[in-house]
Amino acid sequence: MKFGVVTFPGSNCDQDMVYTLRNIMGQEVVELWHKDTDLQGVDFVVLPGGFSYGDYLRSGAIAQFSPIMEKVIEFANNGGYVLGICNGFQILCETGLLPGALLHNENQRFICKNIHLKASTNKSLVTANADLHKAYKIPIAHAEGRYFIDNEGFQKLKDNDQILYQYCDKDGHITPDANPNGSVDNIAGVTNEKRNVFGMMPHPERAADEALGNTEGKLMFDSILEHVQQ
């Protein structure tokens, strides 16, 4: 596959994603700049983590107006695959490609640590290979990661099986104590109705290299490659 990884001013996880896709997964990667207006024929677009435009105004609020995003939105609306991690998730919510919003963490602090999450469905490209009973250890690093959606939207997410991941404890129990940021229903990631746009706050690209002592995030990239090529 040919992946495009977008870099915005303030991105700081773009090279982590490029390394994982290129060096760990062995895929072709194009590095896209926020001012580009050509996706260069990529099969999959990734919006990485960081602090696009310094998180001024609101995380992701300014990045949605970058020239590249017009093409990303068009690509997604035509059925192209788009994944947003952390700040990328925030940007996707700001554009309306994903439902809901990311608010300041409940404790009003930046949180950087390993957490556990579990997949809530196998009906998506990114979770198809996940064990729904297993807790995966993945790092988070965010100040505005509290996923919010109103009651009507939340019910729609559940009815359409659009919740991808939920925060849990190491034994896989979804509890309030396992929720690091106050997200509605412990939600850590969602997909759109067409199931071609994905967003999540945890960083699987930081848990894909054996040198880091944790490869539990690699499962998501394996899942993408296995099922997109069928």
Side-chain angles (χ1 to χ4, degrees):
M1 289 184 68
K2 186 177 181 180
F3 288 84
V5 178
V6 179
T7 299
F8 300 93
S11 295
N12 66 7
C13 302
D14 48 333
Q15 291 306 309
D16 294 359
M17 184 61 71
V18 168
Y19 175 83
T20 296
L21 291 171
R22 183 181 287 158
N23 296 65
I24 303 296
M25 305 309 301
Q27 301 303 301
E28 180 181 358
V29 180
V30 175
E31 297 181 46
L32 301 170
W33 182 234
H34 73 113
K35 289 186 177 181
D36 290 345
T37 55
D38 180 5
L39 296 182
Q40 302 183 42
V42 300
D43 305 303
F44 202 116
V45 174
V46 181
L47 306 182
F51 305 91
S52 59
Y53 296 91
D55 280 348
Y56 290 119
L57 183 61
R58 192 174 57 248
S59 295
I62 299 177
Q64 67 170 311
F65 298 112
S66 286
I68 193 72
M69 286 308 299
E70 181 178 344
K71 296 301 180 182
V72 172
I73 292 168
E74 179 182 334
F75 179 74
N77 287 336
N78 288 332
Y81 293 112
V82 180
L83 169 66
I85 302 292
C86 198
N87 189 226
F89 185 15
Q90 294 163 341
I91 295 170
L92 290 175
C93 288
E94 289 289 337
T95 63
L97 288 175
L98 287 177
L102 282 307
L103 308 181
H104 284 283
N105 297 340
E106 201 167 49
N107 64 6
Q108 299 295 304
R109 295 179 180 178
F110 182 84
I111 303 171
C112 182
K113 65 178 183 179
N114 283 315
I115 53 87
H116 289 87
L117 57 79
K118 64 190 298 186
S120 305
T121 179
N122 288 128
K123 296 179 181 178
S124 86
L125 193 64
V126 299
T127 62
N129 287 0
D131 181 344
L132 299 185
H133 303 289
K134 176 178 171 62
Y136 295 93
K137 186 172 73 172
I138 308 289
I140 58 171
H142 59 249
E144 296 179 48
R146 176 163 56 104
Y147 184 75
F148 174 80
I149 194 166
D150 62 22
N151 291 335
E152 181 180 351
F154 176 58
Q155 189 60 50
K156 190 174 182 180
L157 284 181
K158 292 203 297 183
D159 291 345
N160 294 334
D161 201 17
Q162 290 175 243
I163 299 172
L164 295 176
Y165 300 105
Q166 290 172 282
Y167 300 109
C168 64
D169 64 21
K170 62 182 179 61
D171 298 313
H173 301 125
I174 299 170
T175 66
D177 287 342
N179 190 337
N181 50 36
S183 291
V184 169
D185 202 40
N186 287 46
I187 291 175
V190 300
T191 185
N192 62 339
E193 288 189 59
K194 292 196 288 187
R195 307 183 110 70
N196 65 302
V197 180
F198 319 98
M200 60 188 295
M201 288 309 297
H203 287 268
E205 79 280 7
R206 295 183 179 180
D209 189 343
E210 290 184 2
L212 299 177
N214 182 7
T215 58
E216 296 197 350
K218 184 174 178 289
L219 175 80
M220 189 190 78
F221 300 105
D222 287 331
S223 182
I224 290 171
L225 294 177
E226 178 179 339
H227 294 278
V228 80
Q229 294 174 352
Q230 289 183 351

